Each structure stands twice: as structure tokens, then as C-alpha cells.
């Protein structure tokens, strides 16, 4: 099999360099890359986080579609395993001072097959 050789055109391509002129702004922008802001709308979360009571017989669900969808979205965005997602969601609820149950990793993994994650 013959090897392909790129023909030499004789031109030297020079790569343009980016030069920083405002170091304080550049430094602030690098620091802000690590800034993370997540907020929960109290009204919509409290109304939709826990599932509605069942219509017929059977055990009521522990977590609503909104709770599982939120956890799976966080999991997909940060590429976390299920256990780390559970820990992150618990810490977010604690930091937000919301007393809402967080789905454990087994519930998330079981329900992940039933729900398609829709990242807006």
C-alpha cells in the first residue's frame, strides 16, 4: 500500500497568536469559569417534586417525574455516576434549605429507562 505524501507548496503557514492585553479581566473570566449557580423555583418544585396520590390500588410512588428528571439532567450535565448525583442533589437541597426527599441512586437508575432526559 502506497503512503500518501502531501505536496510541498513552499508556503509557510503562520498561526496567529492571541495576546492578552487586559490581565485583570482575563483573570476574572478564568475564575468565573468555575462559577456554578443552580436555583430551584420554590413554588414549582414543591408542587411537582412529590408525586400525586395514586388513583387506584397500589403503593404510591416515592418520587415524581420532575424529581427524577431533575436528577438525571444533573447527572447528564456533569457526567456523574448515580451515587455522586445523589450526593450532589442532597447537598443542593441542603444549601437551598429545601426539605424535599432526594431520589436514591437505585430509584434513579431504575427510572432512567422509563424517562427520556430532556435537557433544555
Amino acid at each position: 500500500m502506497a503512503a500518501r505524501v502531501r505536496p510541498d507548496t513552499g508556503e509557510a503557514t503562520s498561526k496567529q497568536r492571541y495576546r492578552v492585553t487586559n490581565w485583570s479581566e482575563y483573570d476574572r473570566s478564568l475564575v468565573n469559569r468555575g462559577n456554578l449557580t443552580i436555583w430551584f423555583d420554590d413554588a414549582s418544585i414543591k408542587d411537582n417534586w412529590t408525586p400525586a396520590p395514586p388513583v387506584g390500588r397500589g403503593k404510591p410512588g416515592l418520587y415524581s417525574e420532575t424529581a427524577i428528571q431533575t436528577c438525571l439532567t444533573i447527572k447528564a450535565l456533569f457526567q456523574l455516576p448515580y451515587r455522586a448525583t445523589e450526593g450532589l442533589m442532597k447537598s443542593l437541597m441542603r444549601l437551598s434549605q429545601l426539605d424535599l426527599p432526594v431520589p436514591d441512586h437505585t430509584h434513579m437508575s431504575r427510572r432512567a429507562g422509563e424517562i427520556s432526559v430532556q435537557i433544555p
Side-chain angles (χ1 to χ4, degrees), residues 46 93 96-101:
K46 285 187 180 180
M93 290 298 169
S96 301
Q97 297 176 350
L98 293 172
D99 188 27
L100 297 173

Side-chain angles (χ1 to χ4, degrees), residues 27-39:
D27 185 51
R28 275 194 311 272
S29 68
L30 290 178
V31 169
N32 285 335
R33 283 185 188 178
N35 189 7
L36 174 66
T37 303
I38 297 176
W39 68 92

Side-chain angles (χ1 to χ4, degrees), residues 35-108:
N35 189 7
L36 174 66
T37 303
I38 297 176
W39 68 92
F40 296 102
D41 181 26
D42 292 334
S44 65
I45 289 294
K46 285 187 180 180
D47 292 342
N48 297 325
W49 194 264
T50 55
V55 177
R57 298 174 64 183
K59 182 180 177 185
L62 295 175
Y63 308 106
S64 68
E65 299 287 321
T66 303
I68 300 295
Q69 177 76 30
T70 303
C71 292
L72 292 177
T73 302
I74 295 289
K75 179 188 181 314
L77 286 176
F78 295 110
Q79 299 174 357
L80 297 172
Y82 287 109
R83 291 172 200 255
T85 304
E86 178 185 355
L88 177 62
M89 289 302 296
K90 283 183 179 181
S91 68
L92 287 175
M93 290 298 169
R94 188 174 51 251
L95 289 172
S96 301
Q97 297 176 350
L98 293 172
D99 188 27
L100 297 173
V102 174
D104 59 302
H105 58 278
T106 55
H107 274 89
M108 279 189 270

